[in-house]
Amino acid sequence: MNLLRLFLRESRDWVEAFLGAVPGATGVALRRAYYGFRLAEMAPGLSIQTNVSITCPNHISIGRKCYLARDCKLYATPESPIRIGANFSANANVMINARGKGHITIGNNVLIGPNVVLRSNDHVFERATVLINEQGMTEGAITIGNDVWIASNAVILKNVFIGDGAVVGAGAVVTKDVPPHTIVGGVPARKIGMRLA
């Protein structure tokens, strides 16, 4: 019985690896059809480019007209869902990681540049007498409002709310909430401007 389960599990991995490598419009259409059955919710117009990795898709919801560029990674679990609104665009090599017991919610019309990391959990490391990988994790939430731009190489950490219309500059590390229409940058990220009304 265990061998049968292993075969079935790896069969799905092989199918996803094959589908992930198919180029062009054919690949996009095949991935859209496949993930239409696998995702918790998927509105029309999803475009998934090559080599995108989606773990636990039945706990991921994606709105209409969304785009996942090459090499993006979405990691969910039954305890850590991901919800993405409409008109979302993730550039190459974006990682959205809710594993653990955190969760990630992204609003409508959000743009994410290449190499951005959203991670709703952290390693515990306070005790120097215990190995870090034996100290567990702390979980939280990331919530991103509507009309937000997160520029390339930014990192968004747990327990962060990014308000509507905000901009996160390239390379910023966001550890605290970002008010609506605020522009932040730096490590750790701080206010560097406001969007004009």
Side-chain angles (χ1 to χ4, degrees):
M1 190 61 150
N2 287 337
L3 190 58
L4 178 60
R5 280 194 195 128
L6 178 63
F7 174 76
L8 291 174
R9 168 74 171 105
E10 290 194 355
S11 296
R12 189 172 59 214
D13 292 345
W14 279 97
V15 168
E16 291 177 5
F18 170 76
L19 290 176
V22 177
T26 301
V28 170
L30 288 171
R31 288 183 286 276
R32 183 181 299 129
Y34 176 77
Y35 283 107
F37 291 103
R38 298 289 322 278
L39 291 166
E41 291 180 49
M42 186 188 90
L46 176 61
S47 177
I48 303 175
Q49 301 303 303
T50 55
N51 298 319
V52 170
S53 176
I54 301 177
T55 300
C56 232
N58 55 332
H59 295 281
I60 298 174
S61 301
I62 300 179
R64 63 181 175 79
K65 294 186 180 176
C66 291
Y67 176 82
L68 299 173
R70 180 181 177 90
D71 299 318
C72 285
K73 301 160 198 72
L74 279 66
Y75 300 126
T77 71
E79 297 81 26
S80 53
I82 296 171
R83 291 182 176 81
I84 297 173
N87 299 315
F88 168 79
S89 178
N91 212 313
N93 200 40
V94 167
M95 182 175 76
I96 301 173
N97 188 343
R99 277 194 276 208
K101 292 184 181 171
H103 61 273
I104 296 175
T105 303
I106 299 172
N108 299 321
N109 303 299
V110 173
L111 302 172
I112 298 184
N115 306 311
V116 167
V117 174
L118 282 70
R119 183 160 177 133
S120 63
N121 50 62
D122 287 323
H123 291 281
V124 176
F125 57 86
E126 283 78 17
R127 294 178 291 159
T129 58
V130 178
L131 296 172
I132 293 171
N133 65 4
E134 294 178 357
Q135 294 187 51
M137 305 284 286
T138 57
E139 295 90 10
I142 295 172
T143 303
I144 298 171
N146 301 314
D147 186 32
V148 171
W149 175 31
I150 302 173
S152 60
N153 299 303
V155 177
I156 314 298
L157 298 177
K158 68 181 174 66
N159 297 327
V160 164
F161 173 82
I162 299 178
D164 291 351
V167 174
V168 176
V173 177
V174 182
T175 60
K176 296 182 180 175
D177 290 353
V178 178
H181 306 291
T182 302
I183 304 167
V184 298
V187 180
R190 61 182 176 77
K191 179 180 175 180
I192 58 174
M194 292 291 294
R195 291 181 67 195
L196 301 175

